[in-house]
Structures are given as structure tokens and as C-alpha cells.
Amino acid sequence: MRISRIGAASAATVAASALVLSACAAPQQESEVVEGSSITVAWNQPFYSYNSNTSFGNATANANIVYMTSGGFNYYDNTPELQQDESFGSYEVVSEDPLVVEYTIADGVQWSDGTPVDAADMLLAWAANSGVPNTPDFDPGEFTDPETGEFTEDYPTDVVFFDGSLGSGLENVSEVPEIDGSTITLSYDNIFVDWELVFGVGLPAHVVAQRALGIEDAQEAKDALVEAIQNNDEEALASISSVWNSDWNFSEMPSEEDANLLVVNGPYVISDFVADQYITLTANENYTGQNTPQIEEVTVRFITDPLAAVQALANGEVDVISPQATADVADALTELDGVTVLSGVEAVYEHIDLQFDQSKSGTFNDPIVREAFLKTIPRQQIVDTLIKPLNPEAEVRNSQLFVPGAPGYDETVAGNGMAEKYGEVDIEGAAALLAEAGVTSPEVCILYATNNPRRVNEFALIQESANQAGFNVTDCGSDDWGGLLGTPGAYDATFFGWQSTSLGVTNSSATFRTGGINNLNFYSNTEVDDLLTELDTEIDPERQIEIQLEIDRLLMDDAYGLTIFQFPGVTAYSDRVEGVDPGPLSPTIFWNIWDWTPLGSDSE
């Protein structure tokens, strides 16, 4: 599912970053790898792309693996509080007006092939996630396969397009940053309130350049990449951006000649990968940071059925699970011995989006038809049937931007119209709107995860309700639904969960801004764009809430879609491991993988 990316693919904000460094360095780890130790974790979706900064690869299933194999300037703990990792690098504001931030990689930090991490890697990260070098007005949609979500062979070779740009926040750094050794200086065009959350090192610059430019030597490859960015060499950048977009999409262990796709700079490296079964990570011998893992080998098994994950835990086949919670899962876990169960509410919310453009049938081009369809969504029935058995206090969520209980939530529910217009199913009202629109039996093909039992049940409830009003709801569901999100012509509506990745106030920008990296339904409203731009630079918390209240209302005026519920969360782990302590933000259970301690005879 596409639910992990900077602040963009996130739930509503509950706090804002200030223009000062408020994070503190985490204490130095004294741990070391326990030779021969291993654990297995179950996850509900297979890994399929190492570049989780693209629209195709932006999924929690991918981000989990990227997190465990990548170093970064900061990360969230489970409180959640932002922690700096100064063993990877440091950053400081050298000017507040204009905003200038300097990042420096720490001495000794290197990629797993021994190549130093330096300013070339950071310059590539800026180019790829700012979109500044991109060819103006290029639309990749017409070169995207509606069956797979990936770019087709007809993709042009003479355009520059990094699929990781608008809405990241780095588009506010429009001038090529200055670099010097291991330091890069970002000069923002305007104050950007979430500057601390938007920048890090992604893919290795030397590998990208080696693959794109055919240069074997790592340093020569980096130098060529830097020169291409600094000189805006469109021919070289076209190849560099194409490699950055697509080469790291792999769903099994790369071949020997593609082994450089596995070069990373974090605590773990990918050591084995079998399609649709599992991916194995092994402690990185070249990792020099403070977050040294204690478990030598971590295998993530892909188990899409939550009850099957519970059974695997019971059988000792896996040690940690965090499945989508259902009543059956909760009941089954109570029967297990030697298992610790943690429950709560996650920073993930279910929502249904309607395609505003480039949809399968064009049904929702008419706002009256959008409104009619939203009147049929049985949100309360979904919550009562599927969520309340796990959380009796569960309620329908009525905001696109605010988490229930957060400042601003009650105000937005009172004013955005979601609860008022769509609080109850209105079949007669929906049918009347279809008659007003002059359409008969409009088709709505819905994309969802067919390998997820809860989503299968949701689809059945939505289909039955909408068909009563005169819609023809058809099944566009897929096991590979995550890569299809945002693909032109693939579906008319979709429901899935957005996972919060930070507490940034600008999180919603990439989702609702015209052309935003997480704007998967091609929504566009100039008023919303202007408000998001204002939000980028607003440091007054009260005004931040006012802006978000207005955006929330405009989204409902446009019949954008509906939110449904916050996810109930459950994590269970065996007595073979300790230190598992899930956080609410992505990567949830994996945020402190280096603190997990192996227990049991096979780890002694």
C-alpha cells in the first residue's frame, strides 16, 4: 500500500516543526551483533521497490525494508519524538531569513561496498525529490502501464523526470545547492516550517551514475553525476532520472550483474529475497553508526492473511507479527502461550478516494455523481461490523486532515460537512442525484487489496449499498494493488490506508496539491493549492489550524472522498525476542530494530 513517504503520505498533523533544532541526539549504543542470531517477522504485503520515494514504490512494505537498511539524519521514536542520529550526520540552521540549512555527513559513514557517503549522494537526493531539474510540463501518465503501474517501454529517453518531487517540501529549494566534501547547503526560497523532516540521503549516487552513465569507477561516476546536476546536462539527467525511477523496482533477489542495487548504508543489508515469500536482511559489516543491531539476521515473511500470520506465530514459524487487526485475530491471539500482545490505535486511517481524472470509466468527472456515490458509502456499518469488535470505542473519522482528538478535529467536524452530508447512508438521495445528473447505472470499478480479508468485506458492503442507488460497482481489486495506485485508466475509486510518517504540519501538501507525489486521484483546486502554499510558511499554530480547517472544507465541497476509521493496532511477539516496542508512525514495529534482543537457545 502506498502509505509511507516523508510527510506526504501521512495522516493529519498533530504538531508542527519549529525553525529551531528541538531534537536531541540518541545515546550511543553499546550493543553488538549476536553471532548466529535470527528472527522472522511477518508483514502483510510483499516488498517490491527499494525506492520508496517514487509514486510507484511509496508503500509501507517497501519503507520498512528501506528503513532497516538506511542511515539518516533523524528518525522518530515511539513517543513519538524526533531523534537526531549524529553518528550519521548533523544539520544546523545557518540563517533563518532567508532559511539556509547545512547538512554534513559524519566521518567514516560509508555505503556497504565501501564507498564513502558524501555530498554527491545528498545532491542527488535534492535533485530527485525537488523536481527542479524535471522537463517542464512532461506528463508521465501516458507512459504508465495501467496493468502494472510501472513505466512502459515507450517512456521517452530524452526527458528529465524524477518521480519523487512535488509536495516533498524540497521544491522550495529551487537553486542548485552548494556542496563541499561531505556538506551540502540548502537555501530555501521561503521559510518552510517542516524543513527538518524533508531531507535525507536516498539511493547511492555512485551506483545511480554507474548504471545511468556507464562509468565503472565510483568516484568518477559521482563526479559525473554532480557535474550533470550543476550544469543541468539534460541528456545525462534524462538517463539518471530514468535509472533513479525504475532500476530499484525489484520483487526478488537481483541477478549478479545487478548486485549494486543492494548497496545500502544502514544497519542491515539485503542478503536473500524470494518473490512473494520472504526477504532476509543481514547485519551490515560496513555500518559504523550508533544503531548497531543485536540480531544478525532478520527475515520478513510476506503473509497477507492476518489469521495465517497468527498461526505462523503459534507454530513458531515467525517471532513477531503486526497484522491488520480483526476480531478473529484478537480471539486467536488470546489462545497463545509464550506470546506478548500489544494493542492500541494506529496512526493509519482508512479512506475512499474518487478519481477526478484519467479514471477507468470517467464516472466521477461529474461532481453530482461524486456526491451521489459518497452518499452510499456505509461508513458506520463498516466501523460497527469490522472495527468495533476490536475497539468498542471506535468511531467514524470525519476529517481528511485531522486525527480524532487532535486540536482542530472537533471544529472541522462541525464545519467541513462530512458528518452532516455523509454521516448516514442516503440511498434515495443518491438515486435522486443520479437522476439529476442524467446518468443510468454508472460504472464504478473499485481498486482494493483482494488478499486482505477486511478489505474484501469492505468492498462487499460498499458494492451492495451503492448498487441499491443505481450504481454498477465492479471489482478492480488486485493482490498487487499498491503499485496500481495513481495509475491512469486502472480504476474509478479506491480505498486503502494512509500511514503517518511524521508530525509535520505540511504533511497534506503532497496528497492534495495539484501534481503532488501522493495526489493519486488527480485532484486539483487552486484555492487548496494556495492554502497549502501558505501553510508551508506559517509558523503560528493557530493559523495553521485555520488553514487546515479551510482545506478540509474545500475537499468536502469538491466531493473528494471520505475518511472511514482509524486502524486498530495489534502487535504480538514470542519469547524468542525482546525489545519490540511499536511506535505510531511508520515504520511502526521496526523503528528500533537495533534494540531488539535475541533470546532462546539458538541465539546463545
Side-chain angles (χ1 to χ4, degrees):
M1 62 185 73
R2 286 190 185 179
I3 49 181
S4 173
R5 169 170 165 67
I6 47 171
S10 69
T13 176
V14 296
S17 294
L19 288 177
V20 294
L21 292 180
S22 59
C24 57
Q28 186 72 23
Q29 296 287 337
E30 298 295 334
S31 62
E32 60 181 32
V33 176
V34 178
E35 186 175 353
S37 60
S38 65
I39 62 162
T40 302
V41 185
W43 196 257
N44 63 12
Q45 185 185 8
F47 172 88
Y48 62 89
S49 175
Y50 193 79
N51 192 350
S52 58
N53 280 338
T54 67
S55 60
F56 177 78
N58 177 22
T60 298
N62 298 327
N64 291 340
I65 305 304
V66 173
Y67 180 86
M68 290 186 281
T69 56
S70 297
F73 291 102
N74 54 39
Y75 61 91
Y76 276 98
D77 63 20
N78 64 340
T79 46
E81 183 178 349
L82 194 66
Q83 301 288 347
Q84 281 183 244
D85 181 359
E86 294 186 347
S87 68
F88 179 83
S90 59
Y91 52 93
E92 64 173 330
V93 175
V94 296
S95 170
E96 291 192 356
D97 188 15
L99 176 61
V100 179
V101 187
E102 185 177 272
Y103 291 81
T104 301
I105 301 294
D107 292 341
V109 176
Q110 59 186 328
W111 296 99
S112 54
D113 65 357
T115 303
V117 178
D118 59 21
D121 302 297
M122 293 189 286
L123 187 64
L124 172 62
W126 166 81
N129 293 291
S130 69
V132 170
N134 286 359
T135 300
D137 301 322
F138 171 67
D139 180 8
E142 57 186 294
F143 304 104
T144 304
D145 187 340
E147 298 296 323
T148 67
E150 296 191 78
F151 293 137
T152 66
E153 294 182 359
D154 296 329
Y155 186 90
T157 60
D158 59 348
V159 299
V160 181
F161 178 71
F162 288 98
D163 183 27
S165 53
L166 192 58
S168 71
L170 288 177
E171 68 272 14
N172 293 288
V173 183
S174 62
E175 296 296 324
V176 178
E178 295 181 4
I179 61 171
D180 181 15
S182 296
T183 297
I184 190 170
T185 303
L186 304 182
S187 298
Y188 283 79
D189 303 332
N190 303 288
I191 291 174
F192 182 69
V193 295
D194 285 335
W195 64 267
E196 196 175 1
L197 305 175
V198 301
F199 187 70
V201 173
L203 300 181
H206 67 289
V207 176
V208 172
Q210 285 171 332
R211 299 178 68 88
L213 305 178
I215 301 173
E216 185 174 344
D217 182 79
Q219 187 59 53
E220 290 180 14
K222 284 198 287 189
D223 291 343
L225 180 140
V226 168
E227 184 177 349
I229 294 174
Q230 290 179 335
N231 296 332
N232 194 30
D233 182 341
E234 294 184 5
E235 181 178 356
L237 289 173
S239 181
I240 289 169
S241 63
S242 179
V243 165
W244 189 89
N245 291 336
S246 301
D247 279 26
W248 273 262
N249 297 338
F250 55 91
S251 54
E252 61 185 351
M253 200 67 175
S255 65
E256 203 169 304
E257 58 184 36
D258 285 327
N260 57 4
L261 294 174
L262 303 177
V263 172
V264 297
N265 61 27
Y268 285 98
V269 297
I270 297 172
S271 55
D272 194 13
F273 186 11
V274 176
D276 297 322
Q277 295 186 40
Y278 64 84
I279 188 168
T280 298
L281 312 179
T282 301
N284 179 5
E285 295 180 354
N286 282 336
Y287 177 70
T288 60
Q290 67 183 19
N291 294 324
T292 302
Q294 299 176 63
I295 298 174
E296 184 174 33
E297 186 176 273
V298 176
T299 295
V300 179
R301 275 188 59 190
F302 312 132
I303 304 178
T304 57
D305 186 329
L307 278 176
V310 175
Q311 188 60 54
L313 181 65
N315 295 343
E317 299 167 10
V318 302
D319 304 297
V320 184
I321 67 173
S322 188
Q324 283 204 10
T326 66
D328 290 340
V329 166
D331 291 341
L333 285 173
T334 62
E335 303 297 321
L336 303 187
D337 295 324
V339 169
T340 300
V341 180
L342 307 173
S343 59
V345 178
E346 297 182 355
V348 186
Y349 68 95
E350 192 85 339
H351 63 106
I352 184 164
D353 293 348
L354 311 184
Q355 296 305 96
F356 277 66
D357 192 15
Q358 304 187 55
S359 65
K360 185 177 179 67
S361 69
T363 292
F364 294 129
N365 293 346
D366 186 338
I368 296 177
V369 180
R370 294 200 299 270
E371 183 179 348
F373 185 72
L374 296 184
K375 283 181 174 292
T376 71
I377 306 301
R379 295 191 299 153
Q380 189 65 57
Q381 184 183 10
I382 290 171
V383 170
D384 291 345
T385 304
L386 304 178
I387 308 304
K388 280 195 173 182
L390 293 157
N391 176 14
E393 305 301 318
E395 298 180 351
V396 172
R397 170 168 163 158
N398 283 303
S399 172
Q400 297 281 1
L401 274 73
F402 294 91
V403 174
Y409 181 76
D410 290 342
E411 294 97 313
T412 201
V413 171
N416 68 18
M418 189 183 295
E420 180 182 353
K421 294 181 67 174
Y422 308 110
E424 297 181 0
V425 170
D426 182 3
I427 300 299
E428 291 184 3
L433 287 173
L434 289 183
E436 179 183 341
V439 297
T440 303
S441 193
E443 181 181 4
V444 179
C445 200
I446 300 181
L447 174 67
Y448 66 99
T450 51
N451 52 7
N452 182 311
R454 188 163 77 196
R455 296 258 166 77
V456 172
N457 289 329
E458 284 183 68
F459 172 76
L461 292 172
I462 293 170
Q463 182 183 47
E464 179 183 12
S465 181
N467 284 354
Q468 292 179 36
F471 286 94
N472 175 29
V473 175
T474 57
D475 193 337
C476 271
S478 171
D479 287 1
D480 301 318
W481 65 278
L484 293 173
L485 285 170
T487 299
Y491 57 94
D492 299 304
T494 183
F495 58 90
F496 62 98
W498 279 129
Q499 165 75 61
S500 294
T501 62
S502 79
L503 302 181
V505 71
T506 62
N507 283 344
S508 55
S509 183
T511 304
F512 304 120
R513 186 187 296 275
T514 301
I517 187 66
N518 287 324
N519 188 337
L520 306 174
N521 59 344
F522 308 100
Y523 174 72
S524 181
N525 182 316
T526 55
E527 287 186 76
V528 171
D529 291 345
D530 290 343
L531 287 166
L532 289 169
T533 298
E534 181 182 353
L535 189 60
D536 284 350
T537 62
E538 181 53 65
I539 61 175
D540 178 8
E542 291 186 6
R543 179 56 188 157
Q544 290 172 352
I545 289 178
E546 291 174 355
I547 293 170
Q548 293 173 89
L549 290 172
E550 183 64 12
I551 293 171
D552 221 10
R553 183 189 63 78
L554 289 169
L555 292 172
M556 290 316 306
D557 288 349
D558 290 336
Y560 174 92
L562 295 174
T563 51
I564 307 176
F565 58 83
Q566 292 294 132
F567 275 39
V570 61
T571 296
Y573 59 94
S574 74
D575 53 13
R576 291 188 65 250
V577 61
E578 67 178 7
V580 179
D581 195 7
L585 305 175
S586 176
T588 60
I589 60 173
F590 297 107
W591 77 269
N592 69 332
I593 186 67
W594 50 83
D595 288 333
W596 292 14
T597 304
L599 303 174
S601 58
D602 58 347
S603 298
E604 296 176 352

